[in-house]
Amino acid sequence: MNSKTLQDILQRYLAGTATPGEREIVEMWYALIEENPQPSNDRELQILEEKIWAKLKENATREITGEGNGLRYNWRLPFLKIAAIFVIVFIPVFYLIFSSGPATDAKTVSVLDPQVVFNQTASPQTVHLSDGSVVKLEPGGKLEYPSQFEGSTREVHLSGEAFFEVEKVDKTPFLVHTQKITTRVLGTSFRVKAPDDGSDIEVMVKTGSVSVFERRNSVSYSERNTREQQIVLTPNEQIRFIQDEGRFIKELAPDPQVVTGDGPLGRHRFHYNDTELAEILRDLSVAYQIKIVPLTPSVASCPLTANLAGKTLYVQLDLICAAIQGSYKIEGTTIYIEGTGCE
């Protein structure tokens, strides 16, 4: 095994996507250097890799030496050190052993049997996954996934931008890992933008709901972790993760879309004749699944006659506000309407 393989295993461990076997290896390495580091940036990670690699070479040279035609072992070396060196020397055999039997862990499959798609074309590329889910990978995007999902989770890794249509599988969540965050769903459609240049990561929901949480060093996925740290998104909501600050911003999608054709869309088609503003806002809220609140009580009862069909939400709001001599503002994922009323 070379330093590149060490780096790959260590990065998966810190990202929480390592296999059980790989976690054991890294823990052996930590015991070898007698530390339990938690690197928070690329430079600290590089220093940790160099420290582990140097220690492994040092111990292998000092404690396992040639003598005649054979090897002389210093059995005073602590067991964990011997084990760590053994793994370094015989890592290809280790992988063969783990991949020869049936896989029982989705993470193991992802590491041992990965499929990688890198879209080098100028248009979106469709990727079909084994569970029936479909991914539209944007130009420049890279997707890594197992040829067959097995175990209690379905996990993929994304760099770049992609739109996911996830097939629902009860009790088997679908997880999209990027460099800094993970998006978890059961069955829904959503878009993830994860540029590899350190700029903001974005997740935007089209249908259903998703939960998003930060990938913390050496913390693997668990229901407990997501309950404590997750941020839930519903249709027409998005979240931005500011990487250099390590914080989330939840907001509305830049171009909200009608989520359902039932209810207001089917009844009115956004045509209104002498209709109270409160009812119109309720219709829009249901159609877009966005909370829209009138701040001025007198505004809610204003009658409006308008054709709002075929227009985007923000154009619809502009027309409404022009009629009531008002304005709207967006705070988080809620839209507030205020005005002087309808005298």
Side-chain angles (χ1 to χ4, degrees), residues 11 172 297:
Q11 287 180 330
T172 309

Side-chain angles (χ1 to χ4, degrees), residues 15-17 107 110 142-144 153-159 164 174-184 192 194 213 215 220-221:
T17 59
K107 297 187 183 71
S110 297
K142 175 181 164 184
L143 183 71
E144 182 176 346
T153 60
R154 298 169 288 164
E155 305 189 33
V156 303
H157 292 76
L158 172 69
S159 174
F164 293 82
F174 188 100
L175 292 96
V176 180
H177 299 293
T178 65
Q179 186 178 11
K180 295 289 187 179
I181 69 172
T182 293
T183 303
R184 175 191 182 276
V192 179
F213 53 95
R215 296 178 63 187
S220 59
Y221 167 79

Side-chain angles (χ1 to χ4, degrees), residues 61 63-74:
T61 302
E63 304 293 352
I64 304 179
T65 60
E67 184 174 87
N69 295 325
L71 289 175
R72 175 177 60 83
Y73 292 83
N74 183 347

Side-chain angles (χ1 to χ4, degrees), residues 240-290:
R240 286 189 297 120
F241 181 73
I242 304 176
Q243 297 198 53
D244 56 358
E245 298 179 14
R247 66 185 180 95
F248 289 102
I249 297 178
K250 187 177 180 180
E251 55 197 3
L252 287 182
D255 184 23
Q257 302 294 310
V258 171
V259 176
T260 174
D262 298 330
L265 186 61
R267 289 198 311 271
H268 304 294
R269 301 289 180 185
F270 294 124
H271 289 269
Y272 298 97
N273 183 23
D274 203 26
T275 306
E276 283 194 358
L277 178 59
E279 182 178 340
I280 297 175
L281 296 183
R282 281 196 298 270
D283 284 354
L284 295 178
S285 292
V286 173
Y288 292 96
Q289 294 190 18
I290 294 173

Side-chain angles (χ1 to χ4, degrees), residues 314-335:
Y314 296 128
V315 171
Q316 292 171 332
L317 292 175
D318 285 336
L319 293 172
I320 289 172
C321 290
I324 64 171
Q325 303 178 50
S327 62
Y328 70 88
K329 62 181 180 180
I330 302 172
E331 294 184 0
T333 57
T334 301
I335 299 175

